[in-house]
Amino acid sequence: MPEIQMPKLSDTMTEGTLVSWKKKIGDQVTAGEVLAEIETDKATMEWEASDDGVLKEIYVQEGGKVNVGDRIAFIGGEGEEAPAADDETEEEGGEGGEDETPEAEKPEKAPEKKKAEPAEATAAPAKEEPAPAKEEPAPAKKEATEEKSDSTRVKASPLARKIAAEKNVDLTSLKGTGPGGRIVEKDVEAAVSAAPARSSAAPAAKAAAKKAAAPEIAAGETARISLTGMRKVIADRLTSSLGPVPHFYLNIEINADPLMRVRAELKSAGEEDDAHKITVNDFILKGAVAAALRAPKVNAAFDGDAIVYYGDVNLAVAVAIEEGLVTPVIKGAQNKSLREISAAVKDLAHRARNKRMKPEEFQGGTLTVSNLGSYGIDYFSAIINPPQAIILSIGAIVKKPIVNEDDEIVPGYRMKIGMSCDHRVVDGAIGADYLKALRQLLENPSLLLI
């Protein structure tokens, strides 16, 4: 079977980080089983095996970064051996297959040695000696490979590495009791029990970087945490957006009383009815899609010397996860009912937070909604997600004194909505038309039930 290579799990992915192995060396693997968790430039995803077999070798340990296409493991059949882990000498020296020529010539050099030896020995011993002489280089090369492999990495199971990182145990100080001297879970646990106070700075730093959005920092000290692949992409994309894309911002405040009333009515249906699961945010998402059908010029993208208008409204929804922010996409959202959009966004958000998203589910959005109302944010301005032309910023629903139609001051619910626009695609009047349609729909939510 071929070696397993780092897959390209997104259109912009160039390298991946091996977050964790779900199988260990010697485990039986079935096609479709989760083999590992890989962090791409967009999210951490579960990666499934494509072949049946036995996991013979792991070339990249947890936390390692690998370029797309580089080998990370080997799954073989019964009796099939993994290639040597150390093949750099063959790869580095070669242009095409020229490096194999010296190996092929080695058998020819042995006969020359044969001819030189008879001068000092009889013909019979000369014939007996070459056999061991020819066989010696192979074990020597194997031993050298094993020594180099041992010196470059510690042999330990993924579970042992994970526990060691959590407990701050230095793997290099342990002697493994597993096959081939491999460090296994019980070796790490034994070390923790024997010397609980002992720790290593390197594993501690690695564990902190892995967990760690907010490491504990003593007063007067600083901590430098390397960017994850996701945060690098967030930084690159937002820099490429706010700089080159000419943003302008429109804002409205809507009467949220009707939304609160209809939400209360649906909630009163009881838990046995799925309607009680529909939230105010679901109405907002459905309204964003329906408004795009009334003002279709916002459902577009800038493309060099042209503007691309989309027939489908592919709704991207900003979801906060531990590693950053992702925007899973509800494809063809204009064809989905309020109930279907509610179910779709909950499913996507759940799978995004549990690292079960597929690469294609992050791609193809035509407009984005970001809602920070649940975090207590009244109002904000979001940055456009290129190549999309708009992004909506949804604030919290706030109860405040308002003046009604009879000029009376009464309590009421209000919500602020911001809209960031790419001025190359959306002009002020186009944006205003869209927000006008959105206001009408959200202040009359029964229209979204049709």
Side-chain angles (χ1 to χ4, degrees):
M1 291 185 184
E3 291 175 329
I4 305 302
Q5 299 175 337
M6 174 59 72
K8 188 178 178 70
L9 295 175
S10 76
D11 51 349
T12 55
M13 178 179 171
T14 58
E15 69 174 13
T17 299
L18 209 303
V19 177
S20 66
W21 285 102
K22 300 301 184 183
K23 295 287 185 178
K24 60 181 183 294
I25 292 176
D27 282 358
Q28 187 70 36
V29 177
T30 304
E33 259 190 309
V34 176
L35 188 62
E37 282 188 354
I38 294 176
E39 181 188 73
T40 73
D41 56 346
K42 294 185 177 179
T44 300
M45 303 182 187
E46 290 184 335
W47 180 46
E48 298 177 352
S50 57
D51 295 298
D52 294 344
V54 177
L55 184 58
K56 299 283 188 175
E57 187 59 80
I58 289 174
Y59 300 125
V60 180
Q61 299 304 322
E62 293 180 353
K65 292 187 177 182
V66 188
N67 292 329
V68 169
D70 285 357
R71 65 183 187 175
I72 60 176
F74 179 81
I75 297 176
E78 289 296 331
E80 187 177 3
E81 292 298 324
D86 181 17
D87 285 340
E88 281 96 4
T89 52
E90 293 180 5
E91 293 171 1
E92 287 172 3
E95 291 182 8
E98 292 179 3
D99 279 332
E100 297 177 1
T101 306
E103 296 290 334
E105 289 176 353
K106 284 181 183 177
E108 297 178 8
K109 291 180 182 178
E112 292 176 7
K113 190 175 180 182
K114 257 194 233 177
K115 293 177 183 177
E117 286 176 350
E120 300 178 16
T122 62
K127 289 180 181 179
E128 292 174 3
E129 290 177 4
K134 284 179 71 176
E135 291 173 3
E136 283 176 3
K141 184 176 180 181
K142 184 178 179 182
E143 288 170 9
T145 299
E146 290 175 353
E147 288 172 6
K148 185 171 180 182
S149 176
D150 289 343
S151 65
T152 53
R153 64 184 179 90
V154 178
K155 290 183 178 180
S157 71
L159 180 58
R161 290 181 181 277
K162 183 177 180 181
I163 296 172
E166 292 173 351
K167 303 290 180 67
N168 298 338
V169 175
D170 183 3
L171 289 175
T172 60
S173 66
L174 303 185
K175 184 176 180 180
T177 60
R182 186 177 298 275
I183 297 169
V184 294
E185 178 187 3
K186 66 178 182 180
D187 300 325
V188 181
E189 295 291 359
V192 172
S193 301
R198 191 179 298 169
S199 65
S200 169
K206 183 178 177 182
K210 214 170 172 184
K211 288 183 180 178
E216 293 184 6
I217 308 169
E221 295 182 356
T222 60
R224 177 182 169 85
I225 306 298
S226 298
L227 291 178
T228 63
M230 184 185 297
R231 289 242 62 98
K232 284 180 182 177
V233 171
I234 290 173
D236 291 342
R237 286 185 65 80
L238 296 186
T239 300
S240 66
S241 174
L242 197 55
V245 176
H247 285 58
F248 77 96
Y249 308 95
L250 300 175
N251 311 290
I252 58 173
E253 183 177 86
I254 71 165
N255 177 8
D257 283 334
L259 278 174
M260 297 299 285
R261 280 198 303 271
V262 73
R263 166 64 182 140
E265 290 170 4
L266 292 174
K267 195 172 181 179
S268 67
E271 293 188 6
E272 65 278 359
D273 192 321
D274 283 347
H276 89 282
K277 298 179 182 178
I278 295 176
T279 66
V280 170
N281 187 59
D282 297 331
F283 278 96
I284 293 168
L285 297 177
K286 177 63 176 175
V289 173
L293 297 179
R294 297 187 179 191
K297 288 187 177 180
V298 302
N299 193 43
F302 184 76
D303 186 24
D305 58 353
I307 296 175
V308 178
Y309 293 100
Y310 300 106
D312 285 332
V313 181
N314 294 335
L315 178 64
V317 183
V319 176
I321 62 175
E322 186 177 350
E323 297 88 351
L325 184 74
V326 295
T327 51
V329 178
I330 301 174
K331 303 287 178 66
Q334 78 279 2
N335 298 321
K336 298 184 183 297
S337 67
L338 176 63
R339 188 188 296 267
E340 289 171 332
I341 286 179
S342 176
V345 72
K346 288 176 178 62
D347 173 60
L348 289 171
H350 175 75
R351 290 193 290 114
R353 293 186 178 112
N354 288 278
K355 304 171 184 176
R356 297 181 182 275
M357 293 290 296
K358 298 176 182 177
E360 60 269 20
E361 291 176 313
F362 292 104
Q363 302 167 11
T366 60
L367 61 87
T368 299
V369 175
S370 179
N371 189 340
L372 289 178
S374 62
Y375 293 89
I377 302 300
D378 294 343
Y379 168 76
F380 67 105
S381 296
I383 299 175
I384 294 168
N385 185 18
Q388 299 169 28
I390 66 166
I391 182 170
L392 290 178
S393 314
I394 310 300
I397 293 177
V398 179
K399 191 173 185 179
K400 59 195 293 189
I402 59 168
V403 179
N404 65 13
E405 295 177 355
D406 299 323
D407 292 335
E408 298 171 333
I409 298 177
V410 295
Y413 290 100
R414 293 293 183 268
M415 179 173 66
K416 291 183 179 180
I417 298 175
M419 178 174 168
S420 306
C421 309
D422 181 347
H423 217 325
R424 298 171 301 180
V425 180
V426 176
D427 294 326
I430 294 172
D433 284 343
Y434 176 80
L435 289 180
K436 180 181 178 181
L438 182 60
R439 182 201 296 274
Q440 183 184 14
L441 289 164
L442 294 183
E443 290 185 349
N444 299 276
S446 57
L447 296 173
L448 299 172
L449 299 173
I450 299 173

